[in-house]
Amino acid sequence: MTATAARPSRILAISGSLRAASHNTQLLRAALKFNPGGQDIEIYEDLRAIPPYDLDLDTPELRPAAVTELRRRVQEADGLLIATPEFNYSIPGVLKNALDWLSTDWTRTEGLPLHRKPIAVLGASPANFGTVRAQLALRQIFVWTDSDVVVKPEVHVFRSHERFDADGNLTDEITIELLQQLLSALQSKIEASRA
Ligand code: FNR
């Protein structure tokens, strides 16, 4: 670990799936378990509470409390880890909605929460080709927000039902290794951004 990484990096992990047994959320839990070190990873639990985006309410004074809290947590995080399912060849609306709320600063007083933010993406799908398109759609959003997205490794957890045990623990060795590589790549970006 370098001198610039004296304190652990704070990573906010967001799953695009709300369902209790979500493979994407389980991937984030595995990130906590197999984290190679130097990172405090917190899973964001309140995606369900984020209201539909409304530009009329998108000011520091008028924003819904859940949005203000999410923006604060993203701004305080050194990096984000986002696991998305594939819904209709794209990302779930709930995740897109949250990212819309995170992409703005109309009053130019607060800073853009996603601007130059180090971000790692991954995704799980029970299908053979699922998650590939969703992750591309997610990466496309981060072009507009000018986020600092990890390019490699790509972590496409296809046939996801074969990679977890009955308690939702990630058991697939290749996926664990890729997940650790992804977290290391995210850490490198964070350290580069601090330097
Ligand atoms: C899906 N699913 C899906 N899968 C896929 O490979 N391509 C797709 O376009 C879609 N579209 C889609 C739409 C909707 C509305 C639902 C509910 C599901 C399947 C989906 O990717 C699968 O259920 C994931 O496992 C969901 O992720 P979690 O909940 O396990 O994290």
Side-chain angles (χ1 to χ4, degrees), residues 119-146:
I119 300 178
V121 307
L122 73 170
S125 161
N128 279 323
F129 298 104
T131 191
V132 175
R133 293 157 297 225
Q135 289 190 49
L136 287 174
L138 188 56
R139 287 174 187 273
Q140 186 168 294
I141 290 165
F142 296 136
V143 176
W144 170 256
T145 59
D146 197 5

PDB file of all heavy atoms in Angstrom, residues 119-146:
ATOM      1  N   ILE A 119     -15.253   4.596 -10.369  1.00  0.00           N
ATOM      2  CA  ILE A 119     -16.404   3.676 -10.335  1.00  0.00           C
ATOM      3  C   ILE A 119     -16.011   2.339 -10.971  1.00  0.00           C
ATOM      4  O   ILE A 119     -15.401   2.308 -12.039  1.00  0.00           O
ATOM      5  CB  ILE A 119     -17.614   4.253 -11.111  1.00  0.00           C
ATOM      6  CG1 ILE A 119     -18.061   5.585 -10.514  1.00  0.00           C
ATOM      7  CG2 ILE A 119     -18.790   3.260 -11.109  1.00  0.00           C
ATOM      8  CD1 ILE A 119     -19.219   6.251 -11.247  1.00  0.00           C
ATOM      9  N   ALA A 120     -16.388   1.249 -10.290  1.00  0.00           N
ATOM     10  CA  ALA A 120     -16.246  -0.089 -10.868  1.00  0.00           C
ATOM     11  C   ALA A 120     -17.632  -0.673 -11.085  1.00  0.00           C
ATOM     12  O   ALA A 120     -18.503  -0.522 -10.220  1.00  0.00           O
ATOM     13  CB  ALA A 120     -15.429  -0.989  -9.933  1.00  0.00           C
ATOM     14  N   VAL A 121     -17.841  -1.300 -12.224  1.00  0.00           N
ATOM     15  CA  VAL A 121     -19.146  -1.888 -12.520  1.00  0.00           C
ATOM     16  C   VAL A 121     -19.002  -3.400 -12.697  1.00  0.00           C
ATOM     17  O   VAL A 121     -17.963  -3.902 -13.100  1.00  0.00           O
ATOM     18  CB  VAL A 121     -19.805  -1.262 -13.779  1.00  0.00           C
ATOM     19  CG1 VAL A 121     -19.851   0.250 -13.675  1.00  0.00           C
ATOM     20  CG2 VAL A 121     -19.091  -1.673 -15.050  1.00  0.00           C
ATOM     21  N   LEU A 122     -20.070  -4.081 -12.370  1.00  0.00           N
ATOM     22  CA  LEU A 122     -20.145  -5.528 -12.586  1.00  0.00           C
ATOM     23  C   LEU A 122     -21.619  -5.905 -12.637  1.00  0.00           C
ATOM     24  O   LEU A 122     -22.493  -5.067 -12.395  1.00  0.00           O
ATOM     25  CB  LEU A 122     -19.410  -6.309 -11.498  1.00  0.00           C
ATOM     26  CG  LEU A 122     -20.002  -6.428 -10.100  1.00  0.00           C
ATOM     27  CD1 LEU A 122     -19.194  -7.467  -9.301  1.00  0.00           C
ATOM     28  CD2 LEU A 122     -19.988  -5.132  -9.353  1.00  0.00           C
ATOM     29  N   GLY A 123     -21.888  -7.153 -12.978  1.00  0.00           N
ATOM     30  CA  GLY A 123     -23.283  -7.542 -13.036  1.00  0.00           C
ATOM     31  C   GLY A 123     -23.456  -9.046 -13.145  1.00  0.00           C
ATOM     32  O   GLY A 123     -22.567  -9.761 -13.612  1.00  0.00           O
ATOM     33  N   ALA A 124     -24.620  -9.500 -12.667  1.00  0.00           N
ATOM     34  CA  ALA A 124     -24.957 -10.925 -12.692  1.00  0.00           C
ATOM     35  C   ALA A 124     -26.286 -11.127 -13.402  1.00  0.00           C
ATOM     36  O   ALA A 124     -27.198 -10.312 -13.263  1.00  0.00           O
ATOM     37  CB  ALA A 124     -25.059 -11.461 -11.264  1.00  0.00           C
ATOM     38  N   SER A 125     -26.351 -12.216 -14.143  1.00  0.00           N
ATOM     39  CA  SER A 125     -27.593 -12.558 -14.839  1.00  0.00           C
ATOM     40  C   SER A 125     -27.669 -14.079 -14.990  1.00  0.00           C
ATOM     41  O   SER A 125     -26.650 -14.725 -15.235  1.00  0.00           O
ATOM     42  CB  SER A 125     -27.599 -11.911 -16.224  1.00  0.00           C
ATOM     43  OG  SER A 125     -28.531 -12.561 -17.052  1.00  0.00           O
ATOM     44  N   PRO A 126     -28.857 -14.647 -14.855  1.00  0.00           N
ATOM     45  CA  PRO A 126     -28.975 -16.095 -15.037  1.00  0.00           C
ATOM     46  C   PRO A 126     -28.819 -16.522 -16.496  1.00  0.00           C
ATOM     47  O   PRO A 126     -28.576 -17.685 -16.773  1.00  0.00           O
ATOM     48  CB  PRO A 126     -30.390 -16.404 -14.529  1.00  0.00           C
ATOM     49  CG  PRO A 126     -31.128 -15.115 -14.607  1.00  0.00           C
ATOM     50  CD  PRO A 126     -30.124 -14.024 -14.454  1.00  0.00           C
ATOM     51  N   ALA A 127     -28.931 -15.601 -17.422  1.00  0.00           N
ATOM     52  CA  ALA A 127     -28.862 -15.939 -18.851  1.00  0.00           C
ATOM     53  C   ALA A 127     -27.407 -16.055 -19.317  1.00  0.00           C
ATOM     54  O   ALA A 127     -26.484 -15.627 -18.632  1.00  0.00           O
ATOM     55  CB  ALA A 127     -29.588 -14.873 -19.664  1.00  0.00           C
ATOM     56  N   ASN A 128     -27.251 -16.617 -20.505  1.00  0.00           N
ATOM     57  CA  ASN A 128     -25.906 -16.799 -21.043  1.00  0.00           C
ATOM     58  C   ASN A 128     -25.256 -15.490 -21.461  1.00  0.00           C
ATOM     59  O   ASN A 128     -24.058 -15.323 -21.329  1.00  0.00           O
ATOM     60  CB  ASN A 128     -25.947 -17.729 -22.258  1.00  0.00           C
ATOM     61  CG  ASN A 128     -26.002 -19.185 -21.832  1.00  0.00           C
ATOM     62  OD1 ASN A 128     -25.375 -19.562 -20.841  1.00  0.00           O
ATOM     63  ND2 ASN A 128     -26.765 -19.986 -22.530  1.00  0.00           N
ATOM     64  N   PHE A 129     -26.061 -14.567 -22.015  1.00  0.00           N
ATOM     65  CA  PHE A 129     -25.486 -13.317 -22.518  1.00  0.00           C
ATOM     66  C   PHE A 129     -25.941 -12.111 -21.703  1.00  0.00           C
ATOM     67  O   PHE A 129     -25.557 -10.992 -21.984  1.00  0.00           O
ATOM     68  CB  PHE A 129     -25.854 -13.111 -23.995  1.00  0.00           C
ATOM     69  CG  PHE A 129     -25.306 -14.189 -24.869  1.00  0.00           C
ATOM     70  CD1 PHE A 129     -26.124 -15.197 -25.355  1.00  0.00           C
ATOM     71  CD2 PHE A 129     -23.948 -14.217 -25.186  1.00  0.00           C
ATOM     72  CE1 PHE A 129     -25.610 -16.207 -26.139  1.00  0.00           C
ATOM     73  CE2 PHE A 129     -23.432 -15.226 -25.976  1.00  0.00           C
ATOM     74  CZ  PHE A 129     -24.267 -16.233 -26.455  1.00  0.00           C
ATOM     75  N   GLY A 130     -26.792 -12.375 -20.713  1.00  0.00           N
ATOM     76  CA  GLY A 130     -27.296 -11.280 -19.899  1.00  0.00           C
ATOM     77  C   GLY A 130     -26.145 -10.592 -19.199  1.00  0.00           C
ATOM     78  O   GLY A 130     -25.096 -11.197 -18.985  1.00  0.00           O
ATOM     79  N   THR A 131     -26.320  -9.354 -18.857  1.00  0.00           N
ATOM     80  CA  THR A 131     -25.422  -8.445 -18.150  1.00  0.00           C
ATOM     81  C   THR A 131     -24.436  -7.742 -19.075  1.00  0.00           C
ATOM     82  O   THR A 131     -23.972  -6.659 -18.769  1.00  0.00           O
ATOM     83  CB  THR A 131     -24.660  -9.082 -16.949  1.00  0.00           C
ATOM     84  OG1 THR A 131     -24.030  -8.042 -16.203  1.00  0.00           O
ATOM     85  CG2 THR A 131     -23.621 -10.082 -17.352  1.00  0.00           C
ATOM     86  N   VAL A 132     -24.108  -8.328 -20.216  1.00  0.00           N
ATOM     87  CA  VAL A 132     -23.149  -7.679 -21.126  1.00  0.00           C
ATOM     88  C   VAL A 132     -23.715  -6.342 -21.589  1.00  0.00           C
ATOM     89  O   VAL A 132     -23.083  -5.288 -21.466  1.00  0.00           O
ATOM     90  CB  VAL A 132     -22.843  -8.580 -22.342  1.00  0.00           C
ATOM     91  CG1 VAL A 132     -21.944  -7.856 -23.330  1.00  0.00           C
ATOM     92  CG2 VAL A 132     -22.210  -9.886 -21.880  1.00  0.00           C
ATOM     93  N   ARG A 133     -24.939  -6.377 -22.102  1.00  0.00           N
ATOM     94  CA  ARG A 133     -25.542  -5.141 -22.631  1.00  0.00           C
ATOM     95  C   ARG A 133     -25.841  -4.163 -21.501  1.00  0.00           C
ATOM     96  O   ARG A 133     -25.669  -2.948 -21.653  1.00  0.00           O
ATOM     97  CB  ARG A 133     -26.825  -5.482 -23.404  1.00  0.00           C
ATOM     98  CG  ARG A 133     -26.540  -6.270 -24.669  1.00  0.00           C
ATOM     99  CD  ARG A 133     -27.738  -7.059 -25.125  1.00  0.00           C
ATOM    100  NE  ARG A 133     -28.142  -8.076 -24.160  1.00  0.00           N
ATOM    101  CZ  ARG A 133     -28.465  -9.335 -24.463  1.00  0.00           C
ATOM    102  NH1 ARG A 133     -28.458  -9.726 -25.711  1.00  0.00           N
ATOM    103  NH2 ARG A 133     -28.820 -10.179 -23.520  1.00  0.00           N
ATOM    104  N   ALA A 134     -26.291  -4.678 -20.355  1.00  0.00           N
ATOM    105  CA  ALA A 134     -26.598  -3.791 -19.228  1.00  0.00           C
ATOM    106  C   ALA A 134     -25.349  -3.037 -18.770  1.00  0.00           C
ATOM    107  O   ALA A 134     -25.410  -1.835 -18.484  1.00  0.00           O
ATOM    108  CB  ALA A 134     -27.176  -4.602 -18.073  1.00  0.00           C
ATOM    109  N   GLN A 135     -24.236  -3.732 -18.730  1.00  0.00           N
ATOM    110  CA  GLN A 135     -23.020  -3.058 -18.281  1.00  0.00           C
ATOM    111  C   GLN A 135     -22.552  -2.021 -19.299  1.00  0.00           C
ATOM    112  O   GLN A 135     -22.031  -0.961 -18.929  1.00  0.00           O
ATOM    113  CB  GLN A 135     -21.928  -4.078 -17.994  1.00  0.00           C
ATOM    114  CG  GLN A 135     -22.221  -4.877 -16.741  1.00  0.00           C
ATOM    115  CD  GLN A 135     -21.047  -5.720 -16.292  1.00  0.00           C
ATOM    116  OE1 GLN A 135     -19.919  -5.248 -16.196  1.00  0.00           O
ATOM    117  NE2 GLN A 135     -21.300  -6.989 -16.017  1.00  0.00           N
ATOM    118  N   LEU A 136     -22.756  -2.314 -20.580  1.00  0.00           N
ATOM    119  CA  LEU A 136     -22.415  -1.302 -21.594  1.00  0.00           C
ATOM    120  C   LEU A 136     -23.306  -0.075 -21.447  1.00  0.00           C
ATOM    121  O   LEU A 136     -22.845   1.063 -21.569  1.00  0.00           O
ATOM    122  CB  LEU A 136     -22.541  -1.893 -23.000  1.00  0.00           C
ATOM    123  CG  LEU A 136     -21.431  -2.879 -23.398  1.00  0.00           C
ATOM    124  CD1 LEU A 136     -21.742  -3.516 -24.745  1.00  0.00           C
ATOM    125  CD2 LEU A 136     -20.078  -2.179 -23.448  1.00  0.00           C
ATOM    126  N   ALA A 137     -24.595  -0.319 -21.163  1.00  0.00           N
ATOM    127  CA  ALA A 137     -25.525   0.804 -20.970  1.00  0.00           C
ATOM    128  C   ALA A 137     -25.109   1.636 -19.755  1.00  0.00           C
ATOM    129  O   ALA A 137     -25.178   2.869 -19.767  1.00  0.00           O
ATOM    130  CB  ALA A 137     -26.946   0.276 -20.803  1.00  0.00           C
ATOM    131  N   LEU A 138     -24.662   0.945 -18.711  1.00  0.00           N
ATOM    132  CA  LEU A 138     -24.216   1.652 -17.505  1.00  0.00           C
ATOM    133  C   LEU A 138     -22.968   2.485 -17.803  1.00  0.00           C
ATOM    134  O   LEU A 138     -22.875   3.661 -17.431  1.00  0.00           O
ATOM    135  CB  LEU A 138     -23.944   0.622 -16.407  1.00  0.00           C
ATOM    136  CG  LEU A 138     -23.637   1.139 -15.007  1.00  0.00           C
ATOM    137  CD1 LEU A 138     -24.730   2.053 -14.489  1.00  0.00           C
ATOM    138  CD2 LEU A 138     -23.440  -0.040 -14.048  1.00  0.00           C
ATOM    139  N   ARG A 139     -22.036   1.879 -18.524  1.00  0.00           N
ATOM    140  CA  ARG A 139     -20.802   2.604 -18.871  1.00  0.00           C
ATOM    141  C   ARG A 139     -21.113   3.841 -19.714  1.00  0.00           C
ATOM    142  O   ARG A 139     -20.453   4.880 -19.594  1.00  0.00           O
ATOM    143  CB  ARG A 139     -19.842   1.681 -19.625  1.00  0.00           C
ATOM    144  CG  ARG A 139     -19.186   0.644 -18.738  1.00  0.00           C
ATOM    145  CD  ARG A 139     -18.354  -0.350 -19.534  1.00  0.00           C
ATOM    146  NE  ARG A 139     -17.869  -1.421 -18.684  1.00  0.00           N
ATOM    147  CZ  ARG A 139     -16.738  -1.373 -17.974  1.00  0.00           C
ATOM    148  NH1 ARG A 139     -15.977  -0.302 -18.020  1.00  0.00           N
ATOM    149  NH2 ARG A 139     -16.386  -2.390 -17.217  1.00  0.00           N
ATOM    150  N   GLN A 140     -22.118   3.726 -20.579  1.00  0.00           N
ATOM    151  CA  GLN A 140     -22.488   4.851 -21.440  1.00  0.00           C
ATOM    152  C   GLN A 140     -22.950   6.052 -20.606  1.00  0.00           C
ATOM    153  O   GLN A 140     -22.632   7.199 -20.918  1.00  0.00           O
ATOM    154  CB  GLN A 140     -23.601   4.389 -22.376  1.00  0.00           C
ATOM    155  CG  GLN A 140     -24.010   5.375 -23.420  1.00  0.00           C
ATOM    156  CD  GLN A 140     -24.889   4.694 -24.456  1.00  0.00           C
ATOM    157  OE1 GLN A 140     -24.442   3.818 -25.185  1.00  0.00           O
ATOM    158  NE2 GLN A 140     -26.141   5.061 -24.493  1.00  0.00           N
ATOM    159  N   ILE A 141     -23.696   5.777 -19.539  1.00  0.00           N
ATOM    160  CA  ILE A 141     -24.154   6.860 -18.658  1.00  0.00           C
ATOM    161  C   ILE A 141     -22.954   7.613 -18.081  1.00  0.00           C
ATOM    162  O   ILE A 141     -22.950   8.841 -17.985  1.00  0.00           O
ATOM    163  CB  ILE A 141     -25.025   6.269 -17.523  1.00  0.00           C
ATOM    164  CG1 ILE A 141     -26.343   5.770 -18.109  1.00  0.00           C
ATOM    165  CG2 ILE A 141     -25.259   7.292 -16.409  1.00  0.00           C
ATOM    166  CD1 ILE A 141     -27.121   4.860 -17.185  1.00  0.00           C
ATOM    167  N   PHE A 142     -21.910   6.853 -17.752  1.00  0.00           N
ATOM    168  CA  PHE A 142     -20.754   7.480 -17.101  1.00  0.00           C
ATOM    169  C   PHE A 142     -19.867   8.247 -18.071  1.00  0.00           C
ATOM    170  O   PHE A 142     -18.885   8.877 -17.662  1.00  0.00           O
ATOM    171  CB  PHE A 142     -19.959   6.424 -16.328  1.00  0.00           C
ATOM    172  CG  PHE A 142     -20.754   5.819 -15.194  1.00  0.00           C
ATOM    173  CD1 PHE A 142     -20.741   4.452 -14.967  1.00  0.00           C
ATOM    174  CD2 PHE A 142     -21.524   6.627 -14.365  1.00  0.00           C
ATOM    175  CE1 PHE A 142     -21.472   3.896 -13.933  1.00  0.00           C
ATOM    176  CE2 PHE A 142     -22.266   6.083 -13.331  1.00  0.00           C
ATOM    177  CZ  PHE A 142     -22.241   4.715 -13.111  1.00  0.00           C
ATOM    178  N   VAL A 143     -20.208   8.197 -19.369  1.00  0.00           N
ATOM    179  CA  VAL A 143     -19.537   9.095 -20.317  1.00  0.00           C
ATOM    180  C   VAL A 143     -20.057  10.512 -20.083  1.00  0.00           C
ATOM    181  O   VAL A 143     -19.295  11.465 -19.930  1.00  0.00           O
ATOM    182  CB  VAL A 143     -19.788   8.655 -21.772  1.00  0.00           C
ATOM    183  CG1 VAL A 143     -19.170   9.661 -22.745  1.00  0.00           C
ATOM    184  CG2 VAL A 143     -19.223   7.259 -22.018  1.00  0.00           C
ATOM    185  N   TRP A 144     -21.380  10.635 -19.996  1.00  0.00           N
ATOM    186  CA  TRP A 144     -21.962  11.967 -19.777  1.00  0.00           C
ATOM    187  C   TRP A 144     -21.520  12.557 -18.434  1.00  0.00           C
ATOM    188  O   TRP A 144     -21.189  13.745 -18.330  1.00  0.00           O
ATOM    189  CB  TRP A 144     -23.500  11.897 -19.822  1.00  0.00           C
ATOM    190  CG  TRP A 144     -24.143  13.177 -19.363  1.00  0.00           C
ATOM    191  CD1 TRP A 144     -24.745  13.411 -18.169  1.00  0.00           C
ATOM    192  CD2 TRP A 144     -24.175  14.425 -20.077  1.00  0.00           C
ATOM    193  NE1 TRP A 144     -25.170  14.723 -18.093  1.00  0.00           N
ATOM    194  CE2 TRP A 144     -24.827  15.366 -19.253  1.00  0.00           C
ATOM    195  CE3 TRP A 144     -23.714  14.828 -21.335  1.00  0.00           C
ATOM    196  CZ2 TRP A 144     -25.037  16.683 -19.637  1.00  0.00           C
ATOM    197  CZ3 TRP A 144     -23.932  16.160 -21.719  1.00  0.00           C
ATOM    198  CH2 TRP A 144     -24.586  17.052 -20.875  1.00  0.00           C
ATOM    199  N   THR A 145     -21.490  11.713 -17.396  1.00  0.00           N
ATOM    200  CA  THR A 145     -21.154  12.228 -16.063  1.00  0.00           C
ATOM    201  C   THR A 145     -19.648  12.431 -15.880  1.00  0.00           C
ATOM    202  O   THR A 145     -19.231  12.969 -14.853  1.00  0.00           O
ATOM    203  CB  THR A 145     -21.663  11.262 -14.965  1.00  0.00           C
ATOM    204  OG1 THR A 145     -21.052   9.975 -15.161  1.00  0.00           O
ATOM    205  CG2 THR A 145     -23.178  11.114 -15.020  1.00  0.00           C
ATOM    206  N   ASP A 146     -18.860  12.006 -16.866  1.00  0.00           N
ATOM    207  CA  ASP A 146     -17.396  12.138 -16.810  1.00  0.00           C
ATOM    208  C   ASP A 146     -16.832  11.473 -15.555  1.00  0.00           C
ATOM    209  O   ASP A 146     -16.044  12.048 -14.817  1.00  0.00           O
ATOM    210  CB  ASP A 146     -16.988  13.619 -16.888  1.00  0.00           C
ATOM    211  CG  ASP A 146     -15.518  13.788 -17.244  1.00  0.00           C
ATOM    212  OD1 ASP A 146     -14.844  12.771 -17.525  1.00  0.00           O
ATOM    213  OD2 ASP A 146     -15.032  14.935 -17.215  1.00  0.00           O
TER     214      ASP A 146
END
